């Protein structure tokens, strides 16, 4: 009859509303669970980060604990020499042989070339104040990433090992001689630490025979 059909339709509406309410409640529960999972995940990431920092701090303390000083005679004069170890960060270079390591001023060391096991033209700089290794790619807005000038165009030099290196005016690194893939090198190359660019100066006369 029509009454029964009407009652069934009303019951269906009630059941539909009840089901929708249950679904909404389940959505709320699921959303809360997802938020809690996300919060727990962030807490775990933060704890992992803190653990890594603590491990690094403990390692640095252990290195500092190994510091020792000795009184030595250097060129006939007494010197107090202190030996310390430090944890270096950044683009730490691979172990190698036949490279050069040059002191630029008082706080910069420039590592160039070498073999590990093949030859390389890699050049990295470590800042002894920050204890961080850097290449040109690590420095944001560095001139090496921008347009080169005609006076000082950056070029990719061949791999070099067993070469000689010296600092010039605390701002430039001069490289001469050494071994390359195509034989012994006689060319002089100069690296500018400020601009992180190479130049090859014009030299007069006969270049000396460069032996490894």
């Amino acid at each position: 009859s029509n009454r029964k059909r009407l009652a069934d339709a009303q019951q269906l509406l009630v059941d539909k509303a009840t089901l929708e309410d249950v679904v909404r409640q389940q959505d709320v529960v699921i959303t809360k669970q997802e938020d809690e999972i996300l919060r727990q995940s962030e807490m775990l990431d933060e704890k992992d980060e803190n653990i890594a920092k603590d491990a690094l701090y403990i390692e640095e303390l252990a290195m500092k604990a190994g510091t020792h000083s000795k009184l030595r005679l250097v060129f006939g004069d007494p010197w107090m020499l202190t030996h310390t170890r430090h944890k270096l960060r950044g683009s730490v270079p691979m172990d190698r042989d036949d490279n050069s390591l040059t002191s630029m001023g008082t706080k910069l060391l420039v590592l160039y070339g070498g073999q590990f096991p093949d030859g390389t033209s890699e050049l990295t700089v470590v800042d002894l104040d920050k204890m961080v290794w850097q290449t040109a790619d690590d420095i944001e807005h560095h001139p090496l990433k921008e347009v080169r000038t005609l006076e000082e165009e950056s070029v990719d030099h061949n791999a070099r090992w067993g070469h000689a290196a010296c600092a010039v005016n605390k701002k430039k690194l001069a490289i001469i001689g050494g071994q390359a893939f195509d034989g012994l090198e006689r060319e002089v190359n100069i690296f500018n630490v400020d601009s992180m660019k190479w130049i090859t100066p014009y030299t007069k006369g006969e270049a000396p025979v460069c032996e490894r």
Side-chain angles (χ1 to χ4, degrees):
S1 65
N2 291 335
R3 283 186 179 179
K4 186 176 184 307
R5 291 177 180 176
L6 181 59
D8 290 342
Q10 289 177 343
Q11 186 61 43
L12 286 173
L13 290 175
V14 171
D15 293 342
K16 178 176 179 292
T18 302
L19 182 60
E20 289 176 346
D21 186 55
V22 171
V23 170
R24 282 194 295 270
Q25 292 178 7
Q26 290 295 326
D27 286 341
V28 171
V29 172
I30 292 172
T31 299
K32 289 182 178 179
Q33 290 177 341
E34 290 176 344
D35 292 342
E36 180 62 20
I37 291 173
L38 179 60
R39 189 180 70 84
Q40 293 290 340
S41 177
E42 290 175 348
M43 289 177 62
L44 286 175
D45 290 341
E46 184 179 356
K47 288 182 179 179
D48 289 341
E49 183 178 352
N50 290 334
I51 290 173
K53 288 181 179 179
D54 290 341
L56 182 60
Y57 180 68
I58 291 172
E59 184 179 3
E60 290 177 343
L61 284 180
M63 287 183 175
K64 290 179 180 179
T67 299
H68 60 273
S69 299
K70 291 184 179 180
L71 183 63
R72 296 286 180 86
L73 287 177
V74 180
F75 301 114
D77 295 325
W79 285 69
M80 182 62 72
L81 303 180
T82 302
H83 177 266
T84 60
R85 297 177 61 195
H86 298 274
K87 180 73 174 179
L88 299 178
R89 304 179 182 85
S91 301
V92 180
M94 297 284 291
D95 293 341
R96 65 195 65 199
D97 296 317
D98 298 327
N99 59 278
S100 61
L101 183 65
T102 308
S103 173
M104 309 289 291
T106 58
K107 294 298 182 181
L108 290 181
L109 293 177
V110 179
L111 175 73
Y112 175 68
Q115 291 181 292
F116 59 93
D118 296 327
T120 178
S121 60
E122 181 185 49
L123 186 146
T124 54
V125 179
V126 61
D127 186 328
L128 296 180
D129 276 335
K130 301 176 181 178
M131 292 298 172
V132 175
W133 283 99
Q134 284 187 312
T135 64
D137 293 334
D138 299 324
I139 304 173
E140 188 177 3
H141 305 307
H142 201 282
L144 187 58
K145 297 181 180 180
E146 300 170 0
V147 179
R148 276 58 165 169
T149 64
L150 293 177
E151 294 80 9
E152 198 172 62
E153 182 177 359
S154 181
V155 295
D156 184 18
H157 291 283
N158 294 328
R160 191 84 64 89
W161 61 93
H163 52 276
C166 69
V168 180
N169 296 330
K170 300 181 181 180
K171 297 295 182 180
K172 294 181 180 180
L173 174 70
I175 302 292
I176 186 172
Q179 180 73 40
F181 288 122
D182 55 355
L184 293 174
E185 282 285 348
R186 303 177 70 181
E187 188 176 68
V188 177
N189 303 122
I190 297 177
F191 181 75
N192 189 310
V193 177
D194 286 338
S195 66
M196 296 286 278
K197 294 180 181 179
W198 285 99
I199 60 173
T200 302
Y202 174 75
T203 57
K204 298 180 180 180
E206 183 177 355
V209 177
C210 299
E211 298 182 359
R212 183 182 172 189

